[in-house]
Amino acid sequence: MIGWFNHTFPNVVYLGWGGETGWGTAINQTLYMTFVSALIGGLLGLIFGIGLVVTAEDGITPNRVIFWIFDKVVSIFRAIPFIILLAFIAPFTKEIVGTQIGTTAALVPLSLGVFPFYARQVQAALESVDHGKVEAAQTVGADFLDIIFTVYLREELSSLIRVSTVTLISLIGLTAMAGAIGAGGLGNTAISYGYNRFDNDVTLIATLLILIFVLLIQLIGDFLAKKISHR
């Protein structure tokens, strides 16, 4: 079996596991970029998504100015193609992490690239909460944070898990483009060491690994969402 693999995928074997171009390094870089930027971008997206819901005209704290600011910030960042965003915020990235290239530098554009998408997903999920439940919570004296956590987030937890799953999968795709600033990862391996060198076996294995990550995230997300919704 090992002999067959070495013969069929010689360039995959040549890259090895460790080192700058190794598969282990690429996998770690992809996971690092995906989950760290998901935490940062997810937190921003959650804040903006909640802000858009509660400051809307029918929200619990209507505020036309704040809603307009949140809405425009989200819309503007969603309108910028990610590959352009990488270059546009390069000076800001350098101020934050001290460099414009590398895996850690990619966290800044990845976070800013994914947060508007997640914000809109959160907004759509929370807007489906029954206003009667919100009014009932207000009637019994629930304060702002109580309504956010015990009504909005609790009622739509299953939906939030589903949209988080979709966001994570989208983020894996963005990490491939982050290779343009030397971020590494499986996407970069597929392009730089596979496609550009006409080593199709490298492209195939890198793509399969990305698909495996996507399927695992989808399976875990679906499992958690169904478990929560059946409670």
Side-chain angles (χ1 to χ4, degrees):
M1 184 67 179
I2 296 178
W4 172 85
F5 187 88
N6 292 340
H7 176 74
T8 308
F9 304 100
N11 300 298
V12 173
V13 176
Y14 178 77
L15 289 179
W17 184 257
E20 292 185 3
T21 63
W23 289 98
T25 303
I27 291 171
N28 288 333
Q29 289 171 336
T30 295
L31 294 176
Y32 172 70
M33 287 188 290
T34 299
F35 289 103
V36 174
S37 57
L39 289 174
I40 301 171
L43 180 59
L44 283 173
L46 189 63
I47 292 171
F48 274 77
I50 293 173
L52 286 166
V53 172
V54 300
T55 60
E57 289 186 7
D58 58 347
I60 58 176
T61 56
N63 190 308
R64 184 175 298 178
V65 175
I66 294 179
F67 177 84
W68 184 88
I69 293 172
F70 275 33
D71 183 64
K72 296 310 175 188
V73 169
V74 171
S75 296
I76 289 171
F77 274 94
R78 280 200 73 182
I80 303 175
F82 182 69
I83 197 68
I84 302 299
L85 183 66
L86 288 171
F88 180 71
I89 67 168
F92 176 69
T93 299
K94 188 172 183 179
E95 288 295 323
I96 296 295
V97 299
T99 180
Q100 298 180 12
I101 61 174
T103 307
T104 299
L107 297 178
V108 179
L110 283 170
S111 299
L112 293 178
V114 78
F115 102 84
F117 174 79
Y118 189 58
R120 290 301 187 195
Q121 297 288 324
V122 171
Q123 179 187 11
L126 299 187
E127 283 179 340
S128 64
V129 171
D130 186 353
H131 285 286
K133 294 182 179 180
V134 176
E135 292 173 357
Q138 291 174 319
T139 301
V140 298
D143 60 21
F144 178 80
L145 290 179
D146 286 335
I147 295 174
I148 294 299
F149 287 100
T150 63
V151 180
Y152 280 115
L153 297 183
R154 185 177 180 180
E155 286 294 321
E156 292 301 321
L157 183 56
S158 179
S159 295
L160 290 173
I161 291 174
R162 292 185 187 281
V163 300
S164 297
T165 301
V166 173
T167 302
L168 271 174
I169 292 172
S170 298
L171 195 49
I172 290 178
L174 294 183
T175 63
M177 285 187 280
I181 59 170
L186 290 170
N188 181 65
T189 298
I191 299 300
S192 298
Y193 304 110
Y195 178 78
N196 289 344
R197 295 181 178 181
F198 301 99
D199 293 339
N200 296 326
D201 56 334
V202 172
T203 303
L204 174 62
I205 296 300
T207 303
L208 287 175
L209 288 172
I210 291 173
L211 287 174
I212 289 171
F213 288 150
V214 168
L215 289 173
L216 285 175
I217 291 172
Q218 187 69 64
L219 287 172
I220 294 172
D222 288 345
F223 171 78
L224 292 175
K226 289 179 181 178
K227 187 171 183 180
I228 293 295
S229 65
H230 290 160
R231 287 183 178 179

